[in-house]
Amino acid sequence: MKILVCIKQVPDLESRFKPDAAGVWFSDTDLAFRMNEYDEYAVEQAVRLREQLGDSAELTVLSIGPDRVVEAVKKALAMGCDRAVHVQDTAVHLKDPWQIASIIAAYAGDQGFDLIFTGMQSQDRGSAQVGVSLAEQLGVACATTLVGFEYADGAITAKRELEGGIKGVVKLRTPVLVTCQLGLNTPRYPTLPNIMKAKRKEITAIPVAELLKEEARTTATSFHHPAKKGSGLILEGDVGDLVEKVIGILKEKTSVLR
Amino acid sequence: MKTLLIGEYREGKLLDTTYELFGYAGQLGAETALFLVGSESQLPAFGGTLYLADALACGEYNPDLHKQLVLDAVQKENPDQIVFLHSSYGWDLAPRVAASLRIAQISEVIAIQEGGFEVGCCNGKMRRSITPATHRAVITIQAGAFQGVQPGGTPQVVKLTAESTGTMEFLGYEPAEEKGVDLSKAEVIVSAGRGIGKKDNVPVIAALAKALGGELGASRPVVDAEWVAHDHQVGTTGQTVSPKLYVACGISGAIQHLAGMKKSDFIIAINKDKDAPIGEVADVLVVADVMQFVPALTARLAR
Ligand SMILES: Cc1cc2nc3c(=O)[nH]c(=O)nc-3n(C[C@H](O)[C@H](O)[C@H](O)COP(=O)(O)OP(=O)(O)OC[C@H]3O[C@@H](n4cnc5c(N)ncnc54)[C@H](O)[C@@H]3O)c2cc1C
Ligand SMILES: Nc1ncnc2c1ncn2[C@@H]1O[C@H](COP(=O)(O)O)[C@@H](O)[C@H]1O
C-alpha cells in the first residue's frame, strides 16, 4: 500500500504580519515557521496507518515551497514518514489552490497512491481547496473534515465533522483522499532517536517547473489588515493598573459585580 | 449577473443558513436561482426557480451525485456565479464543481469588492482581495458574513434526477455529544484558550470564572488537547452562547470561535497580541500575559 501525506509550512500566527513588496502576501522576514496544524493531524493519521500495515506500506510526505519547508518535512519524517518529496518553489505563495493541487497531482499521477492525507485547510491561506481539488484531478474518492478514521480490507470508515458537533459516517474504497480536521488524533512529538533516524531518510528534490502545467484561476490583488478595527477599548500597561481599570469597567458597564 | 445558490438540507430539514445565500445575492444585486437536494414538502420561502432533487432518492451527503446534480442545474440556468456556504457541505462540494467546470473558486468570502472579493487569511487576522481569472466562478461565503434574508414566495420547481450512485456509502449520522454543562444559560463565561499555555493553568481560569459567579468555557484546541471537557467548548462545533459577560483568556478569535460568542452583551479579551482578531468583537482588549493578569484580577475580586 502506498500512502501520501501533503503538508504545508505556515508562519506562527501570533506574528505581526506586513505585506510583501508586491503587496499580495505577507513578507517572510522575521517570521518563524512551523507545520500547518491541520497537517500534523494528517501526518499522525498516516503514520498510524503505516504502523497498522507494517512493512507492506510505504509513506511519503510531500511539501511544496522554498528551502525552509524542509524543516517541516524533517519533522514529518521524524514522526514516522518513510521518505519525502520537496517540490522546490520560491514563489509558491503566488500560486492559487488549483495550481498547488495540480502540482501535487502531476507528481502523484503515475505513482498509484492508495491513500492520500491532507489537512482540512491551511492556517495562513485557509482555502480548504487543495485536498478536494487534488482528489478531483486524480479522479479518486474523497471525504473531508475527518474527526474519525479507520482502515480495514481496502476500505476506510470516516467520521466527518458537521456543524454543531453532529458527525456523518461514511465508507469509501481506496484509492481515496481524506482531509483531516483538528482533534482527529493526538499528534506525537518526535523523539530524539527518531529525529536522528530521520536524518538518514531520503528527501527527493523536484523543481516545480517539472510539475507545473496549469494556469492560475484566481489572482490575489492585495494583502491587508481588516478595515473594520474593533471599536473596543485597548488597555495596556502595568498589570496592577489594568486590574483596577477592568474592575471599574465591570462595575460601570456590566451587572455582574453585585 | 446571475447566481445559482446552493442551499443546504440535513436530517430532513432545510437549514436556515441557506437564507444567508440570499443575503449575499442581495448585496450583489444579482438574479437568483436556488439549488437544493431536499424535499418538496419543505420548500424555501423564495419565489424564483428552485432546482430540486429529492434527498430521499439522492442522499443528503453523496458528493459525487450532488456534483452531477449541480452541474445539471448549471447547464440549465447558465449562472455567472455558483454560490455555496463555507460549511461542511459547501467546502466539500464547491471544489468538485469548480474542478468539473474548470473555473475559479474563491473560498470564504466575507465581502464583495469592486471586481473581486475580500477573504480572510492568517486565522482571521489579515485580509486578502482576490479576483477570479475565469468569467464564471464558484464562491463559498463565510458563515455569518452576510445577513440571512427570506425573499418570500413559492418557488417554481424544476426537478432534477441523477444516475450515478457515487463512490461513497453513507452510514448515518452520529448525534452531538450530550451536554453536561449548558453554557447557553450562563450569565458569565470565562473561557480558556491555547494562550494559557498548559493544562495545569486551567484551574487559574476556572478560579476567575468562579469569582465572577460564572462557568468555564474553552476554545477548541484546549478541548482537543483534553485540558477541558468538550461540553465546555464555545464555537461552531461547540456551544453558542450569549452571556452578560464573556471573558476570553488567550483566545485569538478565529471565526469559528467568534461565531459561538460574539452575541455576548459584554466581551473582555486578555491577549498578549494587540492585533489578535478577538479585538474585532471585544469591548475591552487587555494587552497582557494572561497568566499574570487573570490571577491578579481573581485576587482583587476576592478582596
Ligand atoms: C470546521 C471548524 C470548526 C471549528 N470549531 C471551533 C469551535 O467550535 N470553537 C473554537 O474555539 N475553535 C474552533 N475551530 C478552530 C479555530 O479555527 C481556531 O483554531 C481556534 O479557535 C483557536 O483557538 P485559540 O484561540 O485558543 O488558539 P490560538 O489561535 O492558538 O490562539 C492563542 C492566542 O493566545 C494568545 N496568547 C499566547 N500566549 C499568551 C499569553 N501568555 N498571554 C496572553 N495571550 C497569549 C496568542 O496571542 C493567541 O492570540 C474550528 C475550526 C474549523 C476548521
Ligand atoms: N504548499 C503546499 N505543499 C503541500 N501541501 C499543501 C500545500 N498547500 C496546501 N497543502 C495541503 O492542502 C491542504 C489544504 O490547504 P488550503 O487549500 O490552502 O487550505 C493543507 O492542509 C495541506 O495538506
Side-chain angles (χ1 to χ4, degrees):
Chain A
M1 171 117 123
K2 287 185 74 174
I3 313 165
L4 178 69
V5 58
C6 304
I7 65 166
K8 181 175 186 184
Q9 194 192 41
V10 297
D12 187 333
L13 291 153
E14 289 169 23
S15 322
R16 187 138 294 171
F17 294 102
K18 292 188 298 280
D20 60 11
V24 296
W25 194 233
F26 50 75
S27 150
D28 256 23
T29 41
D30 303 330
L31 295 182
F33 284 85
R34 52 178 178 69
M35 197 191 301
N36 179 35
E37 196 180 355
Y38 296 79
D39 302 347
E40 291 189 1
Y41 292 94
V43 171
E44 176 63 31
Q45 204 61 46
V47 170
R48 287 186 190 187
L49 178 63
R50 162 78 178 78
E51 289 168 348
Q52 177 188 340
L53 297 168
D55 285 340
S56 67
E58 190 192 46
L59 170 57
T60 305
V61 55
L62 176 148
S63 188
I64 310 168
D67 285 344
R68 62 169 156 73
V69 310
V70 171
E71 280 313 305
V73 164
K74 282 182 181 160
K75 179 172 183 189
L77 290 172
M79 285 172 78
C81 296
D82 297 306
R83 52 187 295 275
V85 174
H86 170 210
V87 179
Q88 299 166 307
D89 187 0
T90 50
V92 67
H93 58 286
L94 298 175
K95 308 224 164 34
D96 75 346
W98 173 260
Q99 286 179 301
I100 303 280
S102 79
I103 293 164
I104 305 173
Y107 167 76
D110 53 5
Q111 304 261 340
F113 289 108
D114 303 284
L115 251 164
I116 301 177
F117 291 86
T118 73
M120 186 240 139
Q121 61 180 8
S122 55
Q123 288 172 289
D124 55 352
R125 171 127 73 179
S127 78
Q129 287 182 33
V130 169
V132 189
S133 285
L134 173 58
E136 286 290 315
Q137 294 185 36
L138 292 171
V140 304
C142 168
T144 56
T145 335
L146 261 61
V147 288
F149 176 94
E150 271 171 44
Y151 171 84
D153 308 323
I156 66 154
T157 308
K159 269 188 207 169
R160 298 188 61 233
E161 184 182 57
L162 313 177
E163 287 69 24
I166 307 164
K167 289 160 193 132
V169 188
V170 292
K171 192 169 174 180
L172 302 120
R173 299 206 69 79
T174 56
V176 58
L177 181 147
V178 294
T179 80
C180 302
Q181 166 65 320
L182 306 170
L184 169 63
N185 49 45
T186 308
R188 69 193 68 192
Y189 291 103
T191 60
L192 194 57
N194 285 341
I195 293 171
M196 300 313 290
K197 228 162 91 185
K199 288 198 198 306
R200 293 193 299 272
K201 292 180 181 174
E202 172 198 331
I203 303 178
T204 310
I206 306 176
V208 70
E210 288 178 18
L211 299 171
L212 181 67
K213 296 178 180 78
E214 294 281 329
E215 298 276 327
R217 292 180 179 177
T218 59
T219 324
T221 53
S222 133
F223 175 86
H224 51 272
H225 283 277
K228 185 190 85 184
K229 274 279 175 202
S231 54
L233 190 63
I234 297 181
L235 298 179
E236 286 177 278
D238 169 72
V239 169
D241 296 343
L242 290 174
V243 166
E244 291 311 319
K245 281 188 191 147
V246 167
I247 294 280
I249 290 167
L250 285 175
K251 282 190 180 143
E252 194 188 325
K253 300 278 170 84
T254 75
S255 56
V256 302
L257 295 188
R258 277 172 292 240
Chain B
M1 175 72 74
K2 243 168 127 181
T3 58
L4 178 66
L5 311 178
I6 310 299
E8 297 196 13
Y9 180 91
R10 186 173 302 147
E11 294 188 283
K13 289 197 191 73
L14 175 73
L15 299 189
D16 247 7
T17 43
T18 298
Y19 293 108
E20 292 179 24
L21 296 163
F22 290 102
Y24 168 84
Q27 270 196 27
L28 200 65
E31 258 182 74
T32 53
L34 183 68
F35 168 92
L36 186 70
V37 180
S39 160
E40 238 177 327
S41 67
Q42 281 204 48
L43 294 178
F46 160 62
T49 306
L50 171 65
Y51 294 94
L52 182 70
D54 183 15
L56 286 176
C58 300
E60 290 182 5
Y61 178 69
N62 183 340
D64 294 320
L65 190 64
H66 287 206
K67 178 179 79 177
Q68 293 309 323
L69 294 164
V70 173
L71 294 177
D72 189 10
V74 168
Q75 212 188 357
K76 293 189 163 78
E77 184 67 21
N78 200 21
D80 303 291
Q81 283 183 17
I82 304 142
V83 189
F84 295 79
L85 291 157
H86 196 72
S87 62
S88 62
Y89 183 74
W91 68 59
D92 185 281
L93 190 53
R96 307 182 198 245
V97 171
S100 297
L101 293 170
R102 305 195 60 80
I103 58 176
Q105 179 186 341
I106 298 175
S107 294
E108 222 178 344
V109 167
I110 53 180
I112 301 163
Q113 293 178 325
E114 183 77 46
F117 304 90
E118 187 172 53
V119 304
C121 63
C122 299
N123 240 4
K125 228 166 137 160
M126 302 296 294
R127 301 282 183 268
R128 293 200 302 152
S129 303
I130 312 281
T131 314
T134 55
H135 162 70
R136 187 184 259 173
V138 165
I139 303 296
T140 69
I141 60 170
Q142 187 178 75
F146 298 89
Q147 184 90 42
V149 174
Q150 289 214 5
T154 309
Q156 292 97 56
V157 175
V158 179
K159 285 192 188 164
L160 302 177
T161 51
E163 288 298 309
S164 113
T165 52
T167 51
M168 176 180 293
E169 192 186 340
F170 183 74
L171 304 180
Y173 292 108
E174 205 174 87
E177 279 171 52
E178 287 278 328
K179 285 185 241 173
V181 210
D182 187 358
L183 294 180
S184 67
K185 296 210 171 62
E187 294 206 339
V188 176
I189 297 173
V190 180
S191 286
R194 183 155 34 202
I196 69 164
K198 56 181 181 196
K199 187 176 185 173
D200 292 350
N201 290 335
V202 172
V204 175
I205 309 301
L208 178 60
K210 188 148 179 264
L212 288 166
E215 298 280 358
L216 177 70
S219 71
R220 181 171 182 142
V222 167
V223 170
D224 285 339
E226 296 177 359
W227 297 355
V228 171
H230 179 260
D231 53 5
H232 292 269
Q233 185 178 313
V234 173
T236 43
T237 47
Q239 300 193 47
T240 302
V241 300
S242 51
K244 287 188 178 151
L245 173 66
Y246 189 89
V247 186
C249 306
I251 295 178
S252 61
I255 177 69
Q256 296 90 356
H257 190 82
L258 299 188
M261 48 64 74
K262 66 179 178 201
K263 297 222 171 83
S264 307
D265 291 346
F266 200 80
I267 299 170
I268 300 183
I270 300 114
N271 203 304
K272 64 174 188 192
D273 178 6
K274 205 172 157 175
D275 287 341
I278 191 85
E280 277 175 53
V281 300
D283 296 285
V284 179
L285 173 64
V286 180
V287 184
D289 185 316
V290 68
M291 292 318 297
Q292 285 176 12
F293 177 80
V294 169
L297 181 61
T298 311
R300 173 66 178 73
L301 285 166
R303 254 186 17 222

